[in-house]
């Protein structure tokens, strides 16, 4: 099969070097896109990954000032933690949608969580705070009932956890969040006499 | 299955297809990479002025060279297509919609013409157009209409400006409400350019210089969106806030100073005209109590790329629920819109009652006079009419159909209804005394035209005067203004 494919694609003898060079050009450009978009960071669960797009600065800034920052990262709440398949499925599909929206400059002024995200977060609240809700039998109110439109979600009462009550792209414009490093390596900028970060 | 080798030997043009196809793909990938880099770097943009703005520069486009986002969003106030249930940016002929108003304003210019205002962009145009300016008016009317006002006040003095006539200033006042009215040209800080607000603060023993930035985001609006009157011979613009801030307090203030806007053409009551006390009404509401400013809803912050800026498309928040309400409220747009309409519908209901009451009252009072009632007998009736209509106007003239403070709006309208009913009790006694048959036959004022006839307006003549003005006077003004501004050496 692979052999057939290679045979099919094989260039005439004199063209081989040119084709190899062209393939190199392609690969190089692909790597540049990979590097510029910090693509490797998306494998990790670091919160800093989410602020590759500056749209998420207010969310990052409010979380970084909240009690949750000590234990719960973005993915800890916003990505399913029950098994590796659903984790990467949600992460991948959400990520692709976010990338598309951000690239197309289609971000709304007030970001709203979608129903699937709501379900994920609600499950994750209970995952960590199981002991609390069980003790008070609140689990009947909050548990999975919200999926049927019954009962309440945790943040119907805990309104400001953890992102505060004011939410828009402009709600934390001057927040001190880690900025992305320059796409150029330091040695190259030194060589070109650019400014240091 | 032929290989590519064989294919390209057989059909050489396929090589061109491959070549161009590759060019397109590489080009697109390159664009994508550029877009990523661009969106990464825009997070680090900052405020930059490219061109200093001279003091008292009235033209928005000159400011706009430095602040394209603000300027472009301001220019959106040209849009007159948005219509909410009660308001919007669309022009509504209120006299058409509520013919009672014509009766209520008999003997006053508002009976000729009264519309829902359009965006700030039209502030000067609509003053040129309104039939209320057919009769002589003081230059004080211009105070809130144009960025040329601070410029002229600076040139000739505040008092001199107020005491000129409206048409004296015709060629000076041409730019609509805009940048200079609220901003300092060097620092872009919010500033107060209209003396009346600062003076009102002073008389209350407060210093407007001490206002916080968040307060200023309302106070620049309060320069104009407030109740005011023209004091004395020199028609000095004054806010009636010295005895308090509520409808009742202002009423007491006007009574104390024995101020009257006009004597009613039918009832002869010493009337008051309220002018959009938006700021005063808003200050009694829950949003003001929580520290929300006018700009938070009417000019919400917005992000475009990495730039945070204030959206200068001043408009009804109902046209931008996501940017306005949802920043703090988690409910859906439909729910929030319904919440607003629910409140407005209640206020509208009471407001219609007050209007029907008042139109009827003026006609009944006229019948009482005609039957021979004395000044003394009518005194209380006329005072009640004055107060009832003032309270109706305090809510009706304010934009938002009371939403700025639903509770207060309903309270004030309620007291208006109570005062009208009291007046009618007095009138019933007078009718009894003079043997006037009851219930009174009222003339038909179901349309604007019929109502205008009742109050004795010759609309055809007024319209022809306006047409004459627009044909012969206005072009001269605009030409003079054009020549003056050409001398400002536009780039």
């Amino acid at each position: 099969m692979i052999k057939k494919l290679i045979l099919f694609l094989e260039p005439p003898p004199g063209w081989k070097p040119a084709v190899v060079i062209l393939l190199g050009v392609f690969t190089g450009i692909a790597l540049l896109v990979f590097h510029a978009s910090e693509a490797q960071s998306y494998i990790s669960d670091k919160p800093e990954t989410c602020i590759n797009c500056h749209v998420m600065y207010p969310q990052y800034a409010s979380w970084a000032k909240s009690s949750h920052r000590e234990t719960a990262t973005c993915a800890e709440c916003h990505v399913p933690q029950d098994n590796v398949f659903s984790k990467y499925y949600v992460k991948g599909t959400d990520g692709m949608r976010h990338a598309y929206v951000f690239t197309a400059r289609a971000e709304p002024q007030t970001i709203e969580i979608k129903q699937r995200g709501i379900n994920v977060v609600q499950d994750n609240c209970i995952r960590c705070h199981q002991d609390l809700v069980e003790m008070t039998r609140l689990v009947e109110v909050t548990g999975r009932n919200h999926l049927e439109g019954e009962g309440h979600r945790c943040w119907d009462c805990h309104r400001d956890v953890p992102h505060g009550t004011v939410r828009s792209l402009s709600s934390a414009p001057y927040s001190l969040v880690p900025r992305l490093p320059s796409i150029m390596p330091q040695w190259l900028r030194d060589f070109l006499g650019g400014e240091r970060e | 299955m032929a290989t590519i080798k064989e294919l390209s030997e057989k059909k050489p043009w396929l090589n061109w297809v491959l070549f161009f196809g590759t060019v397109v793909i590489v080009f697109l990938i390159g664009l994508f990479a550029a877009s990523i880099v661009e969106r990464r770097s825009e997070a680090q943009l900052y405020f930059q002025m490219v061109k200093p703005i001279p003091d008292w520069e009235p033209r928005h486009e000159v400011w706009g060279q430095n602040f394209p986002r603000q300027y472009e969003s301001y220019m959106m106030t040209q849009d007159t297509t948005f219509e909410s249930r009660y308001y919007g940016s669309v022009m509504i002929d209120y006299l058409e919609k509520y013919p009672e108003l014509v009766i209520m304003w008999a003997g006053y210019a508002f009976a000729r013409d009264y519309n829902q205002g359009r965006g700030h962009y039209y502030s000067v145009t609509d003053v040129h157009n309104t039939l209320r300016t057919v009769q002589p008016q003081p230059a004080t009317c211009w105070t809130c209409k144009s960025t040329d006002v601070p410029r002229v006040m600076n040139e000739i003095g505040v008092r001199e400006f107020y005491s000129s006539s409206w048409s004296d200033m015709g060629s000076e006042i041409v730019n609509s409400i805009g940048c200079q009215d609220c901003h300092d040209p060097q620092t872009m800080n919010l500033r107060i350019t209209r003396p009346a607000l600062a003076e009102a603060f002073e008389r209350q023993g407060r210093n407007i210089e001490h206002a916080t930035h968040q307060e200023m985001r309302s106070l620049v609006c309060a320069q104009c969106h407030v109740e005011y009157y023209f004091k004395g011979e020199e028609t000095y613009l004054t806010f009636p806030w010295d005895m308090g801030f509520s409808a009742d307090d202002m009423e007491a203030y006007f009574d104390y100073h024995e101020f009257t806007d006009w004597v009613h053409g039918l009832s002869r009551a010493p009337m008051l005209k309220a002018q959009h006390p938006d700021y005063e009404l808003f200050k009694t509401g829950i949003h003001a109590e929580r520290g929300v400013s006018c700009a938070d809803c009417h000019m919400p912050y917005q992000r475009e790329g990495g730039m945070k800026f204030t959206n200068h498309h001043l408009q009804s928040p109902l046209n931008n629920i996501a940017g306005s309400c949802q920043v703090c409220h988690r409910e859906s747009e439909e729910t929030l819109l319904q919440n607003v309409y629910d409140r407005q519908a209640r206020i509208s209901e009471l407001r219609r009652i007050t209007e029907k009451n008042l139109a009827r009252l003026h006609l009944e009072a006229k019948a009482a006079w005609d039957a021979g009632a004395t000044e003394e007998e009518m005194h209380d009736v006329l005072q009640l009419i004055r107060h009832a209509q003032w309270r109706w106007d305090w809510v009706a003239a304010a934009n938002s159909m009371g939403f700025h403070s639903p509770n207060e709006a309903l309270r004030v309208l309620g007291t208006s209804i109570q005062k009208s009913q009291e007046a009618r009790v007095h009138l019933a006694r007078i009718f009894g005394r003079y043997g006037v048959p009851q219930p009174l036959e009222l003339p038909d004022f179901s349309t604007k035209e019929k109502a205008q006839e009742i109050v004795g307006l010759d609309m055809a003549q007024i319209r022809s005067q306006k047409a004459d003005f627009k044909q012969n006077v206005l072009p001269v003004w605009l030409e003079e203004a054009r020549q003056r501004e050409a001398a400002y050496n536009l780039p």
Side-chain angles (χ1 to χ4, degrees):
Chain A
M1 176 69 208
I2 290 174
K3 242 187 183 156
K4 260 191 185 169
L5 191 70
I6 289 173
L7 274 179
F8 170 75
L9 289 172
E10 200 190 355
W15 280 90
K16 268 193 184 157
V19 171
V20 168
I21 287 170
L22 274 178
L23 281 176
V25 169
F26 268 117
T27 315
I29 292 177
L31 280 174
L32 174 68
V33 171
F34 193 88
H35 170 64
S37 64
E38 304 267 347
Q40 70 287 350
S41 69
Y42 292 99
I43 299 157
S44 85
D45 274 346
K46 276 195 178 146
E48 287 68 33
T49 303
C50 299
I51 48 171
N52 284 350
C53 299
H54 56 70
V55 158
M56 286 294 172
Y57 284 2
Q59 279 70 26
Y60 181 92
S62 50
W63 163 83
K65 294 273 184 294
S66 77
S67 53
H68 277 81
R69 73 170 177 209
E70 305 299 338
T71 46
T73 57
C74 311
E76 203 76 59
C77 298
H78 287 281
V79 175
Q81 304 292 341
D82 45 4
N83 67 63
V84 74
F85 295 106
S86 65
K87 173 177 173 168
Y88 279 101
Y89 173 70
V90 168
K91 194 172 164 169
T93 45
D94 273 0
M96 288 315 287
R97 193 183 70 246
H98 288 194
Y100 158 74
V101 169
F102 189 65
T103 303
R105 292 184 175 270
E107 59 267 21
Q109 288 298 309
T110 42
I111 300 174
E112 266 189 84
I113 194 165
K114 296 205 162 20
Q115 188 56 49
R116 188 179 73 179
I118 288 173
N119 301 345
V120 169
V121 174
Q122 178 68 22
D123 283 350
N124 280 327
C125 291
I126 294 172
R127 186 170 59 86
C128 292
H129 296 288
Q130 185 84 36
D131 47 350
L132 285 177
V133 289
E134 269 199 347
M135 200 168 65
T136 54
R137 297 192 56 85
L138 269 177
V139 75
E140 294 187 6
V141 179
T142 50
R144 300 197 64 90
N145 297 338
H146 70 96
L147 295 179
E148 283 88 57
E150 300 273 317
H152 293 280
R153 305 181 190 120
C154 298
W155 57 93
D156 285 349
C157 298
H158 300 267
R159 290 172 60 84
D160 55 347
V161 175
H163 294 302
T165 49
V166 176
R167 288 168 313 278
S168 88
L169 298 190
S170 326
S171 54
Y174 308 119
S175 49
L176 287 167
V177 302
R179 300 292 192 221
L180 283 169
S182 165
I183 172 172
M184 288 160 68
Q186 190 59 49
W187 60 264
L188 181 58
R189 278 181 303 141
D190 288 348
F191 177 71
L192 294 172
E195 282 176 47
R196 298 190 70 87
E197 287 252 316
Chain B
M1 179 86 191
T3 65
I4 284 210
K5 258 193 288 189
E6 292 158 0
L7 273 179
S8 68
E9 275 162 18
K10 240 185 262 174
K11 301 180 181 167
W13 56 267
L14 268 179
N15 293 324
W16 286 107
V17 174
L18 265 182
F19 170 73
F20 284 115
T22 312
V23 167
V24 169
I25 290 167
V26 171
F27 190 83
L28 288 176
I29 296 175
L31 278 185
F32 184 53
S35 145
I36 290 171
V37 173
E38 193 177 286
R39 297 233 64 184
R40 284 181 53 143
S41 63
E42 71 183 11
Q44 295 154 25
L45 290 177
Y46 53 91
F47 173 88
Q48 212 173 10
M49 265 178 81
V50 292
K51 223 180 149 175
I53 297 167
D55 281 341
W56 312 117
E57 172 56 73
R59 292 163 303 166
H60 317 324
E61 59 272 22
V62 177
W63 295 63
Q65 290 167 336
N66 285 307
F67 303 100
R69 289 181 178 83
Q70 285 81 353
Y71 174 69
E72 279 165 23
S73 53
Y74 166 81
M75 291 308 270
M76 295 282 288
T77 61
Q78 284 179 80
D79 177 81
T80 55
T81 54
F82 175 68
E83 209 171 341
S84 69
R85 189 184 291 176
Y86 298 101
Y87 288 99
S89 57
V90 64
M91 205 171 199
I92 305 166
D93 185 339
Y94 282 142
L95 301 182
E96 198 81 57
K97 206 170 167 184
Y98 314 119
E100 292 88 356
L101 304 195
V102 178
I103 305 290
M104 289 155 67
W105 284 323
Y108 200 50
F110 272 85
R112 304 167 169 200
D113 191 13
Y114 177 49
N115 303 309
Q116 145 76 23
R118 299 188 286 174
H120 279 185
Y121 177 85
Y122 298 101
S123 61
V124 174
T125 317
D126 283 352
V127 172
H128 289 155
N129 286 341
T130 179
L131 300 177
R132 297 204 293 278
T133 49
V134 166
Q135 62 189 53
Q137 301 279 12
T140 319
C141 291
W142 281 125
T143 308
C144 272
K145 299 297 177 190
S146 164
T147 46
D148 285 299
V149 173
R151 177 182 68 80
V152 176
M153 279 183 170
N154 182 56
E155 282 167 21
I156 67 172
V158 177
R159 221 167 266 282
E160 288 68 18
F161 179 85
Y162 289 150
S163 43
S164 316
S165 81
W166 181 79
S167 39
D168 285 346
M169 290 292 157
S171 60
E172 293 287 347
I173 309 289
V174 285
N175 292 286
S176 61
I177 297 162
C179 318
Q180 159 158 267
D181 290 320
C182 311
H183 288 286
D184 179 293
Q186 267 79 50
T187 60
M188 289 306 131
N189 287 340
L190 291 174
R191 66 165 181 187
I192 301 298
T193 55
R194 302 302 195 269
L197 179 66
E199 289 161 0
F201 263 58
E202 221 168 288
R203 288 198 304 276
Q204 295 174 327
R206 296 150 74 202
N207 184 348
I208 203 159
E209 303 279 324
H210 296 163
T212 63
H213 179 65
Q214 181 66 0
E215 285 168 339
M216 284 300 280
R217 282 163 51 83
S218 290
L219 286 171
V220 290
C221 312
Q223 297 181 94
C224 296
H225 285 256
V226 289
E227 161 61 9
Y228 61 83
Y229 74 109
F230 297 174
K231 192 175 182 173
E233 279 303 297
E234 52 184 1
T235 56
Y236 199 93
L237 183 66
T238 311
F239 298 171
W241 295 353
D242 301 12
M243 294 164 80
F245 214 57
S246 67
D248 316 49
D249 292 335
M250 290 183 206
E251 182 184 278
Y253 172 96
F254 284 130
D255 287 354
Y256 174 78
H257 289 277
E258 294 181 349
F259 178 80
T260 297
D261 272 296
W262 90 104
V263 173
H264 198 274
L266 299 168
S267 65
R268 301 189 214 164
M271 300 303 293
L272 293 169
K273 176 79 190 75
Q275 284 95 359
H276 45 71
D278 296 337
Y279 177 69
E280 296 94 320
L281 181 60
F282 166 74
K283 286 300 271 185
T284 64
I286 191 70
H287 283 96
E289 220 166 293
R290 295 282 181 273
V292 178
S293 72
C294 306
D296 284 325
C297 305
H298 291 279
M299 316 169 66
Y301 288 124
Q302 193 174 332
R303 266 186 100 110
E304 212 173 73
M307 283 291 276
K308 173 195 179 186
F309 70 103
T310 298
N311 181 341
H312 279 59
H313 181 186
L314 295 125
Q315 61 168 345
S316 162
L318 299 183
N319 201 20
N320 181 12
I321 293 176
S324 297
C325 320
Q326 288 187 315
V327 172
C328 302
H329 295 289
R330 280 188 198 196
E331 292 70 22
S332 71
E333 290 202 21
E334 297 74 41
T335 308
L336 290 162
L337 184 64
Q338 197 51 50
N339 293 153
V340 175
Y341 282 168
D342 283 347
R343 281 151 187 76
Q344 288 182 324
R346 293 185 176 103
I347 293 154
S348 173
E349 186 186 331
L350 280 204
R351 181 184 148 172
R352 288 303 290 146
I353 296 172
T354 54
E355 284 162 6
K356 293 193 168 89
N357 274 350
L358 285 159
R360 191 180 175 86
L361 257 181
H362 286 298
L363 291 163
E364 287 186 342
K366 183 178 184 307
W369 286 115
D370 293 345
T374 64
E375 296 273 350
E376 205 180 328
E377 285 175 316
M378 291 297 284
H379 177 269
D380 286 358
V381 175
L382 299 187
Q383 282 300 312
L384 285 165
I385 293 179
R386 166 184 164 100
H387 293 167
Q389 184 153 330
W390 157 256
R391 285 157 189 250
W392 158 80
D393 211 359
W394 204 79
V395 176
N399 297 289
S400 82
M401 188 57 86
F403 185 77
H404 284 145
S405 178
N407 292 348
E408 180 69 358
L410 288 171
R411 184 191 73 82
V412 172
L413 287 174
T415 60
S416 168
I417 293 172
Q418 178 255 332
K419 284 177 190 300
S420 324
Q421 296 305 338
E422 222 171 297
R424 292 196 67 196
V425 171
H426 282 286
L427 279 167
R429 286 193 196 122
I430 293 170
F431 288 153
R433 216 169 291 148
Y434 291 95
V436 178
Q438 295 199 61
L440 208 60
E441 279 290 308
L442 291 186
D444 173 19
F445 52 86
S446 54
T447 68
K448 175 179 165 181
E449 287 68 31
K450 285 176 184 166
Q452 283 175 332
E453 209 163 308
I454 293 170
V455 302
L457 278 173
D458 182 353
M459 290 312 291
Q461 196 214 343
I462 291 171
R463 282 200 187 89
S464 84
Q465 278 175 294
K466 175 56 73 176
D468 178 64
F469 160 83
K470 284 176 85 167
Q471 201 183 331
N472 302 318
V473 182
L474 187 56
V476 179
W477 287 0
L478 296 179
E479 179 53 29
E480 261 180 64
R482 201 191 56 75
Q483 285 175 8
R484 181 183 65 248
E485 293 198 341
Y488 292 164
N489 56 46
L490 239 187

